[in-house]
Amino acid sequence: MNFVGSHILSIDQFERKDIDRLFSVAINMEPYAKRQRITKVLDGAILSNMFFEPSTRTRVSFGCAFNLLGGEVRETTGIENSALAKGESLYDTARVLSGYSDVIVMRHPQSGSVAEFASASRVPVINGGDGANEHPTQALLDLYTIRRELQGRGKELDGLRIGMIGDLKHGRTVHSLAKLLCNYQNIEIYLVSPAALKMPEDLVDLLVEAGHKVVITESLESSIAHVDIVYSTRIQEERFGSQEEADLYRGRFRLNQAVYTQYCEPNTVIMHPLPRDSRAEANELDSDLNQNPNLAIFRQTDNGVVVRMALFALTLDIVDAVDKNSQPVRWYTGGRR
Ligand code: NCD
């Protein structure tokens, strides 16, 4: 794929060589994310960060990534605070915002909305999550994390064994991650969900066509016993018809330290796109795992910054200019990482 000037809307756009390229640029971003160096390469550039659904880490990490490259960020959060609430079309919003910005990140509750918006935009648009459809940058940072965690264990992405657990029907992160894994070989993937919240058929078909071993199950214990990565997810309650319906499934699959010790192989990596639902009735990933060194959830969030910096660098064609416009950091950095 040619990153320069491209919209980033779906994992369908990525081949294995594109993922390799992105990850090698992301590694070069580490000194900037760790506040060892600063760069001003995007001095004068403006990101419009448009989040029409709740977000903490995706919105802030996109903003931080752009700031760390020297650019400025303008934001809107919530449909109710934007002209969309006055009946403005995605087309008009896109035409307006692309007149103000050099790149746009957008999250919106409707599947396909970011692609519709992008078709009217004059600048690159990055999908920050469109309804239950896709969340490509989350999948990319997840895969970057998986690769790093496996490297520390002497393993590769080819041959990965992973369990995806929870609301696989509505979870856009697992949809994008499943597509991304189709670029690799001999994956074993356990899809653990209530029967009503199964991974969509078309995505299961893609995994099977890629030659992967796919196990669809409702048994958490038997699945987490055989994997390198446990990828837990939240019941996406905002996508259900009613709270009562969502409540039927909350708390169904809970991973805590006792379950981990009893069933998982030693050093199984625990991941989650976050937010984990820490309310007692849900609690899919217990806080008693916080001291477990295999809990990678905050390494995932850290990795989100470098992966998003790399995407900006590739789409805005500044990869080689980043280091040329850099200097060491001169303030106290708190001894980060
Ligand atoms: C996810 C999302 O918004 O899809 N969050 C995130 O961006 N890290 C997952 C979720 O909300 O459960």
Side-chain angles (χ1 to χ4, degrees):
M1 127 186 204
N2 177 16
F3 283 96
V4 179
S6 291
H7 303 306
I8 306 293
L9 301 173
S10 166
I11 290 300
D12 296 340
Q13 294 169 256
F14 286 81
E15 291 176 26
R16 187 165 173 150
K17 64 176 177 3
D18 307 316
I19 304 165
D20 290 346
R21 173 93 177 110
L22 179 75
F23 288 177
S24 74
V25 175
I27 289 164
N28 278 337
M29 298 300 176
E30 293 279 352
Y32 303 98
K34 288 181 192 157
R35 311 297 196 273
Q36 291 160 350
R37 296 192 70 75
I38 49 177
T39 179
K40 288 286 167 205
V41 62
L42 284 185
D43 196 11
I46 296 177
L47 162 69
S48 284
N49 220 7
M50 317 308 297
F51 275 72
F52 300 120
E53 263 197 332
S55 172
T56 300
R57 72 221 82 238
T58 305
R59 180 167 59 86
V60 176
S61 68
F62 264 117
C64 286
F66 208 72
N67 287 152
L68 286 166
L69 290 167
E72 304 276 346
V73 182
R74 290 285 170 269
E75 296 198 320
T76 287
T77 56
I79 287 182
E80 68 283 8
N81 298 318
S82 81
L84 292 176
K86 299 179 180 176
E88 186 167 58
S89 65
L90 287 172
Y91 177 90
D92 285 4
T93 308
R95 288 298 299 267
V96 171
L97 290 172
S98 57
Y100 300 157
S101 359
D102 300 284
V103 57
I104 299 171
V105 175
M106 184 171 155
R107 169 174 289 188
H108 191 282
Q110 226 176 297
S111 291
S113 54
V114 181
E116 183 187 339
F117 179 92
S119 66
S121 171
R122 295 165 165 190
V123 299
V125 174
I126 302 178
N127 184 358
D130 62 323
N133 183 35
E134 277 219 47
H135 192 345
T137 64
Q138 179 70 42
L140 291 163
L141 78 87
D142 287 340
L143 193 69
Y144 184 80
T145 305
I146 293 170
R147 195 176 76 146
R148 290 186 74 144
E149 299 290 323
L150 290 183
Q151 274 167 352
R153 291 164 175 76
K155 295 185 176 182
E156 305 277 329
L157 287 171
D158 292 320
L160 168 72
R161 301 169 304 156
I162 183 170
M164 294 184 185
I165 297 149
D167 185 353
L168 307 184
K169 177 180 177 192
H170 302 107
R172 55 194 173 198
T173 74
V174 284
H175 298 167
S176 289
L177 186 55
K179 285 186 176 183
L180 202 52
L181 291 176
C182 292
N183 288 287
Y184 296 86
Q185 314 241 303
N186 300 323
I187 310 275
E188 271 180 41
I189 178 162
Y190 295 82
L191 300 173
V192 187
S193 72
L197 302 182
K198 279 202 272 201
M199 179 71 84
E201 292 277 333
D202 57 329
L203 293 173
V204 174
D205 291 347
L206 283 180
L207 289 163
V208 171
E209 279 161 29
H212 299 336
K213 175 180 162 188
V214 181
V215 179
I216 297 172
T217 173
E218 292 190 54
S219 165
L220 175 73
E221 291 78 8
S222 63
S223 311
I224 61 175
H226 305 293
V227 296
D228 306 300
I229 308 279
V230 174
Y231 188 99
S232 170
T233 67
R234 178 179 69 87
I235 298 298
Q236 308 281 293
E237 59 182 20
E238 64 276 33
R239 312 256 180 253
F240 287 78
S242 68
Q243 185 64 49
E244 292 69 43
E245 197 191 345
D247 287 345
L248 293 174
Y249 306 108
R250 279 151 57 109
R252 180 81 169 271
F253 301 113
R254 295 169 189 252
L255 186 61
N256 58 27
Q257 187 57 51
V259 173
Y260 181 91
T261 307
Q262 188 175 351
Y263 295 102
C264 292
E265 293 173 359
N267 294 325
T268 302
V269 181
I270 308 160
M271 294 177 59
H272 191 300
L274 301 184
R276 52 179 160 168
D277 187 342
S278 295
R279 290 169 287 193
E281 61 276 23
N283 207 23
E284 68 267 1
L285 210 53
D286 200 286
S287 60
D288 73 357
L289 290 160
N290 286 359
Q291 303 312 316
N292 184 327
N294 299 298
L295 184 75
I297 56 178
F298 302 118
R299 295 193 283 278
Q300 279 172 272
T301 51
D302 282 352
N303 290 335
V305 174
V306 290
V307 169
R308 291 180 170 121
M309 289 176 80
L311 262 187
F312 286 133
L314 285 159
T315 50
L316 298 176
D317 200 15
I318 44 116
V319 172
D320 296 332
V322 171
D323 290 342
K324 284 187 199 128
N325 289 275
S326 74
Q327 59 184 64
V329 163
R330 296 200 180 82
W331 69 85
Y332 173 66
T333 63
R336 244 186 201 82
R337 287 198 274 181

